[in-house]
Amino acid sequence: MAKQQKQRPMRMEQRGSLEAMQRLEGRSDEDLAAETKFKAAAYAILGARAAERYDAKATRAWYSRAIAAARPQERLQLRRMADASIALAERRAGDLKDAVEKLGQRPPSNRQLLILQFMGLLAPPPGSSILIRLRGYAIIIGLFVVLLAIGFGLAKLVALPFGGVGTIGGFLLGIVLIIVILGVMALLGRRRQARARAKAAG
């Protein structure tokens, strides 16, 4: 019995630093970077946070340090986590879906993947060719022109009951309307994400 009691803490310790991630998630980046006991878990969290900022270089760097600090039996799982995070940071929707499935988790929804893919078109990952970057600039300019035209049309429509508005005034009012609409959409999107996180945490 005494022997079993001695072995139990050893087995708990052998579960590795990956299980410490839940305890470390609430810490700041500075605290995680200074972590000494569970380095692999801390560096993996920093890599995941860098991926959420779409910083592929930092994501790779933190996961490289995490894998180097991990036990051999933990490295495969960390590599899979790194693949998913790097795919997110580089906005590669298809690779992200495959990597998340390899982790045994539910992949992002088709809408989330579509948004990520669209972001990849607008802001290609570092190292992309000039043509791909030019394509991103062209899409941004095209979107701006389309939004400006929509705003101008809305401004003309809104101003009709008040006697109409000139071309310059219509463009200025259209820009204001588009900014307001985008701001409201962003606010609603953040609230929806907050409710989704709260629901997932609960």
Side-chain angles (χ1 to χ4, degrees), residues 51-54 88-93 112-125 135-136 139-140:
E52 292 175 354
R53 300 191 302 269
Y54 303 107
L88 173 62
E90 295 182 347
R91 297 170 286 274
R92 292 183 279 110
Q112 291 173 324
L113 292 173
L114 184 62
I115 293 173
L116 184 64
Q117 187 174 8
F118 184 67
M119 290 177 61
L121 293 175
L122 294 180
R135 181 187 63 186
I139 293 174
I140 292 173

PDB file of all heavy atoms in Angstrom, residues 51-54 88-93 112-125 135-136 139-140:
ATOM      1  N   ALA A  51      -0.858  33.344 -32.138  1.00  0.00           N
ATOM      2  CA  ALA A  51      -1.657  32.926 -33.292  1.00  0.00           C
ATOM      3  C   ALA A  51      -2.956  33.713 -33.369  1.00  0.00           C
ATOM      4  O   ALA A  51      -3.417  34.061 -34.462  1.00  0.00           O
ATOM      5  CB  ALA A  51      -1.947  31.428 -33.210  1.00  0.00           C
ATOM      6  N   GLU A  52      -3.553  34.002 -32.215  1.00  0.00           N
ATOM      7  CA  GLU A  52      -4.790  34.788 -32.207  1.00  0.00           C
ATOM      8  C   GLU A  52      -4.549  36.211 -32.696  1.00  0.00           C
ATOM      9  O   GLU A  52      -5.472  36.867 -33.174  1.00  0.00           O
ATOM     10  CB  GLU A  52      -5.379  34.808 -30.800  1.00  0.00           C
ATOM     11  CG  GLU A  52      -5.902  33.446 -30.350  1.00  0.00           C
ATOM     12  CD  GLU A  52      -6.363  33.455 -28.904  1.00  0.00           C
ATOM     13  OE1 GLU A  52      -6.166  34.495 -28.224  1.00  0.00           O
ATOM     14  OE2 GLU A  52      -6.916  32.434 -28.449  1.00  0.00           O
ATOM     15  N   ARG A  53      -3.299  36.686 -32.575  1.00  0.00           N
ATOM     16  CA  ARG A  53      -2.939  38.011 -33.106  1.00  0.00           C
ATOM     17  C   ARG A  53      -2.458  37.907 -34.553  1.00  0.00           C
ATOM     18  O   ARG A  53      -2.039  38.906 -35.132  1.00  0.00           O
ATOM     19  CB  ARG A  53      -1.833  38.640 -32.252  1.00  0.00           C
ATOM     20  CG  ARG A  53      -2.192  38.854 -30.795  1.00  0.00           C
ATOM     21  CD  ARG A  53      -1.143  39.725 -30.106  1.00  0.00           C
ATOM     22  NE  ARG A  53       0.192  39.147 -30.186  1.00  0.00           N
ATOM     23  CZ  ARG A  53       0.714  38.332 -29.278  1.00  0.00           C
ATOM     24  NH1 ARG A  53      -0.008  37.980 -28.216  1.00  0.00           N
ATOM     25  NH2 ARG A  53       1.940  37.863 -29.416  1.00  0.00           N
ATOM     26  N   TYR A  54      -2.478  36.697 -35.106  1.00  0.00           N
ATOM     27  CA  TYR A  54      -2.014  36.424 -36.473  1.00  0.00           C
ATOM     28  C   TYR A  54      -0.535  36.776 -36.641  1.00  0.00           C
ATOM     29  O   TYR A  54      -0.113  37.248 -37.691  1.00  0.00           O
ATOM     30  CB  TYR A  54      -2.873  37.169 -37.505  1.00  0.00           C
ATOM     31  CG  TYR A  54      -4.335  36.831 -37.399  1.00  0.00           C
ATOM     32  CD1 TYR A  54      -5.241  37.738 -36.875  1.00  0.00           C
ATOM     33  CD2 TYR A  54      -4.805  35.582 -37.793  1.00  0.00           C
ATOM     34  CE1 TYR A  54      -6.589  37.415 -36.753  1.00  0.00           C
ATOM     35  CE2 TYR A  54      -6.146  35.252 -37.676  1.00  0.00           C
ATOM     36  CZ  TYR A  54      -7.028  36.174 -37.154  1.00  0.00           C
ATOM     37  OH  TYR A  54      -8.359  35.847 -37.030  1.00  0.00           O
ATOM     38  N   LEU A  88      -3.642  28.941 -38.139  1.00  0.00           N
ATOM     39  CA  LEU A  88      -4.495  30.084 -37.801  1.00  0.00           C
ATOM     40  C   LEU A  88      -3.756  31.392 -38.024  1.00  0.00           C
ATOM     41  O   LEU A  88      -4.300  32.334 -38.616  1.00  0.00           O
ATOM     42  CB  LEU A  88      -4.948  29.979 -36.347  1.00  0.00           C
ATOM     43  CG  LEU A  88      -5.704  31.185 -35.782  1.00  0.00           C
ATOM     44  CD1 LEU A  88      -7.007  31.419 -36.548  1.00  0.00           C
ATOM     45  CD2 LEU A  88      -5.989  30.996 -34.297  1.00  0.00           C
ATOM     46  N   ALA A  89      -2.505  31.461 -37.550  1.00  0.00           N
ATOM     47  CA  ALA A  89      -1.732  32.698 -37.684  1.00  0.00           C
ATOM     48  C   ALA A  89      -1.508  33.064 -39.144  1.00  0.00           C
ATOM     49  O   ALA A  89      -1.497  34.245 -39.503  1.00  0.00           O
ATOM     50  CB  ALA A  89      -0.395  32.550 -36.962  1.00  0.00           C
ATOM     51  N   GLU A  90      -1.325  32.051 -39.984  1.00  0.00           N
ATOM     52  CA  GLU A  90      -1.092  32.297 -41.409  1.00  0.00           C
ATOM     53  C   GLU A  90      -2.384  32.296 -42.216  1.00  0.00           C
ATOM     54  O   GLU A  90      -2.354  32.369 -43.435  1.00  0.00           O
ATOM     55  CB  GLU A  90      -0.123  31.249 -41.958  1.00  0.00           C
ATOM     56  CG  GLU A  90       1.272  31.359 -41.345  1.00  0.00           C
ATOM     57  CD  GLU A  90       2.248  30.353 -41.915  1.00  0.00           C
ATOM     58  OE1 GLU A  90       1.793  29.403 -42.599  1.00  0.00           O
ATOM     59  OE2 GLU A  90       3.459  30.521 -41.698  1.00  0.00           O
ATOM     60  N   ARG A  91      -3.508  32.170 -41.507  1.00  0.00           N
ATOM     61  CA  ARG A  91      -4.835  32.254 -42.125  1.00  0.00           C
ATOM     62  C   ARG A  91      -5.015  31.212 -43.229  1.00  0.00           C
ATOM     63  O   ARG A  91      -5.527  31.502 -44.301  1.00  0.00           O
ATOM     64  CB  ARG A  91      -5.077  33.678 -42.647  1.00  0.00           C
ATOM     65  CG  ARG A  91      -5.094  34.716 -41.544  1.00  0.00           C
ATOM     66  CD  ARG A  91      -5.077  36.127 -42.075  1.00  0.00           C
ATOM     67  NE  ARG A  91      -3.783  36.514 -42.595  1.00  0.00           N
ATOM     68  CZ  ARG A  91      -2.790  37.008 -41.867  1.00  0.00           C
ATOM     69  NH1 ARG A  91      -2.951  37.171 -40.578  1.00  0.00           N
ATOM     70  NH2 ARG A  91      -1.646  37.345 -42.411  1.00  0.00           N
ATOM     71  N   ARG A  92      -4.583  29.976 -42.936  1.00  0.00           N
ATOM     72  CA  ARG A  92      -4.760  28.857 -43.867  1.00  0.00           C
ATOM     73  C   ARG A  92      -5.924  28.012 -43.365  1.00  0.00           C
ATOM     74  O   ARG A  92      -5.764  27.144 -42.511  1.00  0.00           O
ATOM     75  CB  ARG A  92      -3.475  28.037 -43.958  1.00  0.00           C
ATOM     76  CG  ARG A  92      -2.326  28.793 -44.626  1.00  0.00           C
ATOM     77  CD  ARG A  92      -1.078  27.939 -44.786  1.00  0.00           C
ATOM     78  NE  ARG A  92      -0.296  27.864 -43.562  1.00  0.00           N
ATOM     79  CZ  ARG A  92      -0.179  26.775 -42.811  1.00  0.00           C
ATOM     80  NH1 ARG A  92      -0.825  25.667 -43.134  1.00  0.00           N
ATOM     81  NH2 ARG A  92       0.566  26.780 -41.721  1.00  0.00           N
ATOM     82  N   ALA A  93      -7.107  28.298 -43.894  1.00  0.00           N
ATOM     83  CA  ALA A  93      -8.339  27.707 -43.367  1.00  0.00           C
ATOM     84  C   ALA A  93      -8.352  26.185 -43.489  1.00  0.00           C
ATOM     85  O   ALA A  93      -8.704  25.477 -42.537  1.00  0.00           O
ATOM     86  CB  ALA A  93      -9.543  28.309 -44.092  1.00  0.00           C
ATOM     87  N   GLN A 112     -16.718  30.373 -40.050  1.00  0.00           N
ATOM     88  CA  GLN A 112     -15.452  30.832 -39.486  1.00  0.00           C
ATOM     89  C   GLN A 112     -14.291  30.566 -40.433  1.00  0.00           C
ATOM     90  O   GLN A 112     -13.397  31.404 -40.587  1.00  0.00           O
ATOM     91  CB  GLN A 112     -15.217  30.145 -38.140  1.00  0.00           C
ATOM     92  CG  GLN A 112     -16.174  30.586 -37.049  1.00  0.00           C
ATOM     93  CD  GLN A 112     -16.024  29.758 -35.788  1.00  0.00           C
ATOM     94  OE1 GLN A 112     -15.771  28.549 -35.845  1.00  0.00           O
ATOM     95  NE2 GLN A 112     -16.173  30.396 -34.637  1.00  0.00           N
ATOM     96  N   LEU A 113     -14.304  29.400 -41.069  1.00  0.00           N
ATOM     97  CA  LEU A 113     -13.245  29.078 -42.023  1.00  0.00           C
ATOM     98  C   LEU A 113     -13.301  29.995 -43.237  1.00  0.00           C
ATOM     99  O   LEU A 113     -12.261  30.407 -43.771  1.00  0.00           O
ATOM    100  CB  LEU A 113     -13.361  27.616 -42.454  1.00  0.00           C
ATOM    101  CG  LEU A 113     -13.062  26.572 -41.376  1.00  0.00           C
ATOM    102  CD1 LEU A 113     -13.381  25.176 -41.887  1.00  0.00           C
ATOM    103  CD2 LEU A 113     -11.604  26.655 -40.934  1.00  0.00           C
ATOM    104  N   LEU A 114     -14.514  30.330 -43.669  1.00  0.00           N
ATOM    105  CA  LEU A 114     -14.664  31.229 -44.813  1.00  0.00           C
ATOM    106  C   LEU A 114     -14.135  32.622 -44.485  1.00  0.00           C
ATOM    107  O   LEU A 114     -13.445  33.251 -45.301  1.00  0.00           O
ATOM    108  CB  LEU A 114     -16.136  31.299 -45.225  1.00  0.00           C
ATOM    109  CG  LEU A 114     -16.453  32.136 -46.472  1.00  0.00           C
ATOM    110  CD1 LEU A 114     -15.765  31.545 -47.693  1.00  0.00           C
ATOM    111  CD2 LEU A 114     -17.961  32.199 -46.703  1.00  0.00           C
ATOM    112  N   ILE A 115     -14.437  33.091 -43.271  1.00  0.00           N
ATOM    113  CA  ILE A 115     -13.935  34.402 -42.848  1.00  0.00           C
ATOM    114  C   ILE A 115     -12.409  34.386 -42.775  1.00  0.00           C
ATOM    115  O   ILE A 115     -11.737  35.331 -43.214  1.00  0.00           O
ATOM    116  CB  ILE A 115     -14.541  34.792 -41.486  1.00  0.00           C
ATOM    117  CG1 ILE A 115     -16.047  35.039 -41.633  1.00  0.00           C
ATOM    118  CG2 ILE A 115     -13.855  36.031 -40.922  1.00  0.00           C
ATOM    119  CD1 ILE A 115     -16.757  35.269 -40.317  1.00  0.00           C
ATOM    120  N   LEU A 116     -11.853  33.301 -42.231  1.00  0.00           N
ATOM    121  CA  LEU A 116     -10.401  33.191 -42.135  1.00  0.00           C
ATOM    122  C   LEU A 116      -9.764  33.157 -43.519  1.00  0.00           C
ATOM    123  O   LEU A 116      -8.723  33.790 -43.754  1.00  0.00           O
ATOM    124  CB  LEU A 116     -10.034  31.936 -41.350  1.00  0.00           C
ATOM    125  CG  LEU A 116      -8.543  31.722 -41.083  1.00  0.00           C
ATOM    126  CD1 LEU A 116      -7.994  32.832 -40.202  1.00  0.00           C
ATOM    127  CD2 LEU A 116      -8.306  30.366 -40.434  1.00  0.00           C
ATOM    128  N   GLN A 117     -10.391  32.434 -44.430  1.00  0.00           N
ATOM    129  CA  GLN A 117      -9.874  32.367 -45.795  1.00  0.00           C
ATOM    130  C   GLN A 117      -9.924  33.739 -46.464  1.00  0.00           C
ATOM    131  O   GLN A 117      -8.994  34.135 -47.182  1.00  0.00           O
ATOM    132  CB  GLN A 117     -10.684  31.357 -46.601  1.00  0.00           C
ATOM    133  CG  GLN A 117     -10.128  31.071 -47.988  1.00  0.00           C
ATOM    134  CD  GLN A 117     -10.886  29.956 -48.684  1.00  0.00           C
ATOM    135  OE1 GLN A 117     -11.915  29.489 -48.196  1.00  0.00           O
ATOM    136  NE2 GLN A 117     -10.390  29.513 -49.818  1.00  0.00           N
ATOM    137  N   PHE A 118     -10.998  34.469 -46.216  1.00  0.00           N
ATOM    138  CA  PHE A 118     -11.119  35.814 -46.785  1.00  0.00           C
ATOM    139  C   PHE A 118     -10.056  36.742 -46.197  1.00  0.00           C
ATOM    140  O   PHE A 118      -9.465  37.560 -46.910  1.00  0.00           O
ATOM    141  CB  PHE A 118     -12.518  36.362 -46.508  1.00  0.00           C
ATOM    142  CG  PHE A 118     -12.773  37.703 -47.128  1.00  0.00           C
ATOM    143  CD1 PHE A 118     -12.834  37.847 -48.500  1.00  0.00           C
ATOM    144  CD2 PHE A 118     -12.952  38.821 -46.336  1.00  0.00           C
ATOM    145  CE1 PHE A 118     -13.067  39.083 -49.082  1.00  0.00           C
ATOM    146  CE2 PHE A 118     -13.185  40.059 -46.899  1.00  0.00           C
ATOM    147  CZ  PHE A 118     -13.246  40.191 -48.279  1.00  0.00           C
ATOM    148  N   MET A 119      -9.796  36.596 -44.894  1.00  0.00           N
ATOM    149  CA  MET A 119      -8.737  37.392 -44.270  1.00  0.00           C
ATOM    150  C   MET A 119      -7.383  37.056 -44.876  1.00  0.00           C
ATOM    151  O   MET A 119      -6.518  37.928 -45.024  1.00  0.00           O
ATOM    152  CB  MET A 119      -8.719  37.144 -42.764  1.00  0.00           C
ATOM    153  CG  MET A 119      -9.909  37.721 -42.023  1.00  0.00           C
ATOM    154  SD  MET A 119      -9.872  37.319 -40.265  1.00  0.00           S
ATOM    155  CE  MET A 119      -8.334  38.094 -39.774  1.00  0.00           C
ATOM    156  N   GLY A 120      -7.195  35.779 -45.224  1.00  0.00           N
ATOM    157  CA  GLY A 120      -5.952  35.385 -45.871  1.00  0.00           C
ATOM    158  C   GLY A 120      -5.779  36.031 -47.231  1.00  0.00           C
ATOM    159  O   GLY A 120      -4.651  36.309 -47.660  1.00  0.00           O
ATOM    160  N   LEU A 121      -6.898  36.283 -47.916  1.00  0.00           N
ATOM    161  CA  LEU A 121      -6.818  36.981 -49.199  1.00  0.00           C
ATOM    162  C   LEU A 121      -6.479  38.456 -49.002  1.00  0.00           C
ATOM    163  O   LEU A 121      -5.700  39.035 -49.766  1.00  0.00           O
ATOM    164  CB  LEU A 121      -8.151  36.849 -49.947  1.00  0.00           C
ATOM    165  CG  LEU A 121      -8.534  35.445 -50.423  1.00  0.00           C
ATOM    166  CD1 LEU A 121      -9.925  35.462 -51.034  1.00  0.00           C
ATOM    167  CD2 LEU A 121      -7.518  34.914 -51.431  1.00  0.00           C
ATOM    168  N   LEU A 122      -7.071  39.059 -47.964  1.00  0.00           N
ATOM    169  CA  LEU A 122      -6.821  40.480 -47.716  1.00  0.00           C
ATOM    170  C   LEU A 122      -5.424  40.723 -47.164  1.00  0.00           C
ATOM    171  O   LEU A 122      -4.762  41.697 -47.537  1.00  0.00           O
ATOM    172  CB  LEU A 122      -7.861  41.029 -46.731  1.00  0.00           C
ATOM    173  CG  LEU A 122      -9.314  41.076 -47.200  1.00  0.00           C
ATOM    174  CD1 LEU A 122     -10.193  41.636 -46.101  1.00  0.00           C
ATOM    175  CD2 LEU A 122      -9.446  41.919 -48.461  1.00  0.00           C
ATOM    176  N   ALA A 123      -4.994  39.862 -46.258  1.00  0.00           N
ATOM    177  CA  ALA A 123      -3.689  40.039 -45.606  1.00  0.00           C
ATOM    178  C   ALA A 123      -2.925  38.726 -45.689  1.00  0.00           C
ATOM    179  O   ALA A 123      -2.956  37.924 -44.752  1.00  0.00           O
ATOM    180  CB  ALA A 123      -3.874  40.471 -44.154  1.00  0.00           C
ATOM    181  N   PRO A 124      -2.247  38.474 -46.802  1.00  0.00           N
ATOM    182  CA  PRO A 124      -1.509  37.217 -46.964  1.00  0.00           C
ATOM    183  C   PRO A 124      -0.420  37.076 -45.904  1.00  0.00           C
ATOM    184  O   PRO A 124       0.089  38.073 -45.382  1.00  0.00           O
ATOM    185  CB  PRO A 124      -0.896  37.351 -48.366  1.00  0.00           C
ATOM    186  CG  PRO A 124      -1.698  38.403 -49.051  1.00  0.00           C
ATOM    187  CD  PRO A 124      -2.133  39.343 -47.976  1.00  0.00           C
ATOM    188  N   PRO A 125      -0.059  35.847 -45.562  1.00  0.00           N
ATOM    189  CA  PRO A 125       0.990  35.633 -44.563  1.00  0.00           C
ATOM    190  C   PRO A 125       2.333  36.144 -45.045  1.00  0.00           C
ATOM    191  O   PRO A 125       2.556  36.283 -46.257  1.00  0.00           O
ATOM    192  CB  PRO A 125       0.997  34.109 -44.381  1.00  0.00           C
ATOM    193  CG  PRO A 125       0.373  33.563 -45.619  1.00  0.00           C
ATOM    194  CD  PRO A 125      -0.622  34.581 -46.056  1.00  0.00           C
ATOM    195  N   ARG A 135      -2.744  41.182 -55.044  1.00  0.00           N
ATOM    196  CA  ARG A 135      -4.138  40.748 -55.076  1.00  0.00           C
ATOM    197  C   ARG A 135      -4.873  41.204 -53.822  1.00  0.00           C
ATOM    198  O   ARG A 135      -6.021  41.655 -53.885  1.00  0.00           O
ATOM    199  CB  ARG A 135      -4.206  39.224 -55.195  1.00  0.00           C
ATOM    200  CG  ARG A 135      -5.622  38.663 -55.259  1.00  0.00           C
ATOM    201  CD  ARG A 135      -5.605  37.152 -55.199  1.00  0.00           C
ATOM    202  NE  ARG A 135      -5.062  36.668 -53.933  1.00  0.00           N
ATOM    203  CZ  ARG A 135      -4.832  35.381 -53.671  1.00  0.00           C
ATOM    204  NH1 ARG A 135      -5.084  34.467 -54.591  1.00  0.00           N
ATOM    205  NH2 ARG A 135      -4.347  35.024 -52.499  1.00  0.00           N
ATOM    206  N   GLY A 136      -4.208  41.116 -52.683  1.00  0.00           N
ATOM    207  CA  GLY A 136      -4.815  41.586 -51.440  1.00  0.00           C
ATOM    208  C   GLY A 136      -5.107  43.073 -51.481  1.00  0.00           C
ATOM    209  O   GLY A 136      -6.192  43.522 -51.074  1.00  0.00           O
ATOM    210  N   ILE A 139      -8.108  43.712 -53.706  1.00  0.00           N
ATOM    211  CA  ILE A 139      -9.377  43.367 -53.056  1.00  0.00           C
ATOM    212  C   ILE A 139      -9.782  44.453 -52.068  1.00  0.00           C
ATOM    213  O   ILE A 139     -10.956  44.838 -51.988  1.00  0.00           O
ATOM    214  CB  ILE A 139      -9.256  42.002 -52.346  1.00  0.00           C
ATOM    215  CG1 ILE A 139      -9.090  40.884 -53.381  1.00  0.00           C
ATOM    216  CG2 ILE A 139     -10.487  41.730 -51.486  1.00  0.00           C
ATOM    217  CD1 ILE A 139      -8.816  39.525 -52.769  1.00  0.00           C
ATOM    218  N   ILE A 140      -8.813  44.969 -51.308  1.00  0.00           N
ATOM    219  CA  ILE A 140      -9.116  46.028 -50.340  1.00  0.00           C
ATOM    220  C   ILE A 140      -9.630  47.277 -51.051  1.00  0.00           C
ATOM    221  O   ILE A 140     -10.626  47.891 -50.632  1.00  0.00           O
ATOM    222  CB  ILE A 140      -7.861  46.353 -49.505  1.00  0.00           C
ATOM    223  CG1 ILE A 140      -7.513  45.172 -48.599  1.00  0.00           C
ATOM    224  CG2 ILE A 140      -8.089  47.609 -48.662  1.00  0.00           C
ATOM    225  CD1 ILE A 140      -6.207  45.328 -47.859  1.00  0.00           C
TER     226      ILE A 140
END
